[in-house]
């Protein structure tokens, strides 16, 4: 498998390098679908210019990235293109290794269940074969590296690619069972954009499952493990925040980075749900609806964790999707990360209900984004309602896609427990209805 992965990496790097040398680079870096006020390279350059002049990069209202990012590029700004390509390569390789390890564990559990005769005899066709699972890690890497969203994000030099690399390393560390590295990378991801905090729940569930610690509130081992992970996570976060203060010499970055993410003062159009709503909002209602919108990202963590406590890797996929849909400044790079996991759930295709329709809507919206932007901003023949309508449709399609996979996953698990062909008491065929 090393040769196909190496070839894939070479192709991906070549495509990116060619686009970096083309005239499209400037156009792509200006697209509001690809960059946001948080991740735009132009703003990083502005921050670097202020830093070189001895002025705090957070003194204005331009730069909103974290101090570690600006100090990273302070040293590697001449190799920025290589840095972003390397971030994509790291993400793809980390996802490849994580999925490969996860598939081994799935196959092992499946084998034990078959030996123990836990599956009904009529659902053996749902069992996954090694041949079917063999190429899935490569497909995941391919879905990430050759996804147009990822390529555009890299060519625009959006710092979203660096965030994806940190999250991918967190997923790899978690699936490998390394508690310390999992906590460190999760703290780094949280430091970058707050929202990955919700990934703490699936990480804990997976690591406890791997160490055979039951999810039982009455068990001391359960609370002890949570305390250990929380100590490592909060300790790492404290060190990172302290290092940022040491580098910058002030706490200016806290309101400028995290206050900016949570209060959403910049209403530049993007592919998210916030900008149009708050542009039309009366000021005295703003705080209430801001809380309602922001809580969406965190609200679903508890019910999803309860429902998927036995399947934490699928929970990670769900949480990544929720973050990319409901965060305040999303870009296409955020979407590319969770779309890379779709090959992992290829065995759910027989239970998907709306996949063709949703795929068509996503493709149509992706094509219409630049068209409606041009009609609104340049031609003047449309207005913001047109652009927000396509943004809204795009997010509805994402929600339908994720909920369809959620339904398919639950249905397959139900069939593995109760059988594929359900019968009523009188022997007639029954219909499964999920409520």
């Amino acid at each position: 498998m090393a040769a196909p992965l190496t070839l894939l990496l070479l192709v991906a790097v070549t495509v990116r390098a060619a686009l970096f040398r083309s005239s499209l680079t400037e156009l792509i870096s200006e697209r509001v679908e690809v960059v946001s006020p948080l991740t735009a390279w132009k703003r990083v350059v502005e921050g670097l210019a202020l830093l070189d002049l001895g002025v705090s990069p957070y003194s204005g209202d331009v730069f909103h990235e974290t101090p570690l990012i600006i100090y990273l590029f302070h040293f590697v700004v001449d190799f920025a293109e290589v840095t972003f390509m390397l971030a994509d390569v790291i993400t793809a390789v980390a996802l490849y290794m994580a999925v490969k390890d996860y598939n081994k564990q799935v196959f092992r559990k499946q084998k034990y269940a078959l030996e123990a005769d836990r599956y009904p005899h009529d659902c053996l066709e749902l069992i996954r074969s090694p041949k079917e699972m063999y190429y899935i890690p490569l497909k995941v890497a391919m879905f990430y590296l050759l996804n147009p969203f990822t390529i555009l994000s890299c060519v625009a030099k959006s710092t979203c690619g660096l965030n994806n690399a940190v999250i991918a390393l967190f997923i790899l560390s978690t699936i490998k069972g390394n508690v310390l590295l999992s906590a460190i990378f999760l703290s780094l991801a949280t430091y970058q954009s707050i929202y990955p905090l919700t990934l703490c729940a699936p990480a804990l569930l997976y690591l406890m499952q791997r160490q055979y610690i039951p999810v039982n509130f009455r068990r001391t081992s359960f609370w002890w493990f949570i305390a250990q992970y929380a100590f490592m996570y909060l300790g790492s976060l404290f060190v990172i925040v302290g290092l940022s203060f040491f580098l910058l010499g002030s706490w200016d970055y806290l309101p400028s980075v995290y206050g900016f993410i949570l209060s959403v003062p910049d209403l530049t159009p993007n592919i998210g749900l916030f900008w149009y709503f708050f542009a039309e909002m009366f000021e005295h209602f703003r705080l209430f609806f801001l809380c309602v919108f922001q809580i969406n990202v965190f609200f679903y963590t508890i019910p999803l964790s309860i429902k998927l406590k036995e399947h934490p890797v699928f929970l990670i996929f769900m949480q990544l999707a929720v973050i990319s849909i409901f965060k305040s400044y999303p870009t296409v790079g955020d979407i590319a990360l969770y779309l890379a996991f779709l090959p992992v759930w290829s065995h759910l295709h027989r239970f998907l209900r709306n996949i063709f329709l949703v795929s068509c809507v996503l493709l149509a919206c992706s094509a219409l984004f630049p068209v409606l932007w041009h009609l609104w901003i340049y031609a003047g023949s449309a207005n913001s309602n047109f652009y927000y309508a396509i943004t809204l449709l795009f997010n509805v399609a994402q929600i339908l896609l994720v909920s369809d996979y959620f339904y398919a996953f639950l249905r397959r698990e139900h069939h593995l427990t109760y059988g594929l062909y359900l019968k009523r008491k009188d022997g007639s065929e029954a219909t499964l209805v999920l409520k």
Side-chain angles (χ1 to χ4, degrees):
M1 189 66 79
L5 180 62
T6 306
L7 180 62
L8 174 64
L9 295 175
L10 287 173
V11 170
V13 169
T14 304
V15 169
R16 286 159 172 76
L19 283 171
F20 273 127
R21 295 291 172 268
S22 73
S23 58
L24 294 172
T25 308
E26 189 175 346
L27 174 66
I28 294 169
S29 63
E30 296 290 334
R31 295 303 314 168
V32 293
E33 301 88 8
V34 182
V35 297
S36 72
L38 279 170
T39 62
W41 175 248
K42 187 166 66 174
R43 293 183 178 238
V44 175
V45 172
E46 291 280 349
L48 286 169
L50 290 171
L51 192 66
D52 289 338
L53 291 171
V55 180
S56 170
Y58 303 101
S59 57
D61 192 34
V62 175
F63 183 70
H64 300 286
E65 261 294 357
T66 54
L68 289 188
I69 290 289
I70 195 167
Y71 276 96
L72 167 68
F73 285 111
H74 186 67
F75 295 105
V76 299
V77 66
D78 294 331
F79 307 99
E81 295 174 2
V82 177
T83 304
F84 284 104
M85 287 192 286
L86 186 61
D88 278 1
V89 168
I90 289 170
T91 306
V93 173
L95 291 177
Y96 173 89
M97 293 171 67
V99 171
K100 190 175 182 180
D101 202 66
Y102 170 67
N103 280 348
K104 287 178 183 176
Q105 293 175 35
V106 168
F107 184 71
R108 196 181 304 119
K109 287 180 182 177
Q110 189 177 265
K111 183 181 176 183
Y112 292 153
L114 284 169
E115 289 173 354
D117 200 26
R118 293 177 189 168
Y119 296 136
H121 295 293
D122 64 345
C123 74
L124 293 180
E125 61 188 270
L126 298 180
I127 304 302
R128 304 175 70 186
S129 65
K131 185 179 179 181
E132 172 196 341
M133 299 167 73
Y134 183 73
Y135 287 105
I136 287 176
L138 186 64
K139 288 177 183 176
V140 169
M142 187 183 298
F143 262 56
Y144 186 78
L145 284 174
L146 300 184
N147 188 330
F149 288 167
T150 316
I151 296 170
L152 290 172
S153 188
C154 180
V155 174
K157 292 188 274 195
S158 168
T159 54
C160 175
L162 303 178
N163 299 346
N164 287 351
V166 173
I167 292 173
L169 290 170
F170 153 73
I171 293 170
L172 175 62
S173 306
T174 304
I175 290 179
K176 289 286 185 183
N178 192 317
V179 181
L180 178 61
L181 282 180
S182 172
I184 290 172
F185 284 120
L186 181 59
S187 64
L188 261 175
T190 309
Y191 165 80
Q192 279 297 110
S193 63
I194 300 178
Y195 299 114
L197 173 64
T198 59
L199 296 173
C200 189
L204 282 168
L205 289 169
Y206 186 89
L207 292 167
M208 284 192 284
Q209 191 181 90
R210 193 179 173 93
Q211 297 187 18
Y212 304 103
I213 298 171
V215 181
N216 188 333
F217 295 115
R218 297 179 181 178
R219 291 288 188 96
T220 310
S221 57
F222 171 78
W223 292 109
W224 175 240
F225 185 81
I226 288 180
Q228 284 180 307
Y229 193 85
F231 177 77
M232 286 183 277
Y233 169 73
L234 293 174
S236 303
L237 194 60
F238 179 77
V239 169
I240 295 167
V241 169
L243 179 61
S244 299
F245 174 76
F246 175 75
L247 290 171
L248 201 63
S250 74
W251 297 106
D252 291 348
Y253 74 94
L254 291 176
S256 191
V257 177
Y258 308 116
F260 187 83
I261 293 171
L262 295 174
S263 62
V264 199
D266 191 323
L267 300 178
T268 303
N270 54 55
I271 59 169
L273 300 169
F274 281 71
W275 66 273
Y276 183 86
F277 193 84
F278 286 98
E280 303 293 330
M281 175 68 60
F282 289 113
E283 194 61 33
H284 54 280
F285 290 127
R286 180 181 171 85
L287 181 60
F288 171 74
F289 281 101
L290 196 60
C291 294
V292 171
F293 270 60
Q294 291 288 8
I295 206 170
N296 259 306
V297 180
F298 304 96
F299 177 77
Y300 301 107
T301 304
I302 295 174
L304 285 174
S305 298
I306 293 169
K307 190 66 180 176
L308 297 171
K309 67 178 182 180
E310 300 297 329
H311 310 284
V313 176
F314 189 77
L315 178 58
I316 289 175
F317 164 73
M318 291 293 295
Q319 286 296 123
L320 288 174
V322 168
I323 290 170
S324 69
I325 294 168
F326 293 110
K327 69 188 295 188
S328 53
Y329 292 105
T331 62
V332 292
D334 299 301
I335 299 166
L337 183 60
Y338 83 82
L339 288 181
F341 279 89
L342 294 186
V344 182
W345 321 119
S346 57
H347 57 288
L348 302 177
H349 284 174
R350 65 181 292 169
F351 300 118
L352 295 174
R353 299 167 296 178
N354 306 310
I355 188 65
F356 177 73
L357 175 63
V358 170
S359 301
C360 290
V361 171
L362 287 172
L363 288 171
C365 289
S366 301
L368 285 172
F369 274 131
V371 174
L372 293 178
W373 178 262
H374 179 82
L375 291 175
W376 173 25
I377 300 299
Y378 298 104
S381 56
N383 56 36
S384 59
N385 295 324
F386 286 74
Y387 191 78
Y388 187 66
I390 208 70
T391 300
L392 201 58
L393 184 60
F394 186 70
N395 283 287
V396 168
Q398 286 188 79
I399 292 167
L400 288 174
L401 176 71
V402 174
S403 58
D404 208 12
Y405 270 93
F406 187 45
Y407 164 82
F409 187 87
L410 294 179
R411 182 167 178 179
R412 180 178 179 272
E413 290 302 314
H414 186 276
H415 285 313
L416 288 174
T417 305
Y418 298 103
L420 188 58
Y421 304 103
L422 304 177
K423 301 289 183 181
R424 292 195 179 96
K425 290 182 180 179
D426 60 1
S428 61
E429 187 177 344
T431 303
L432 178 64
V433 180
L434 293 180
K435 294 185 178 179

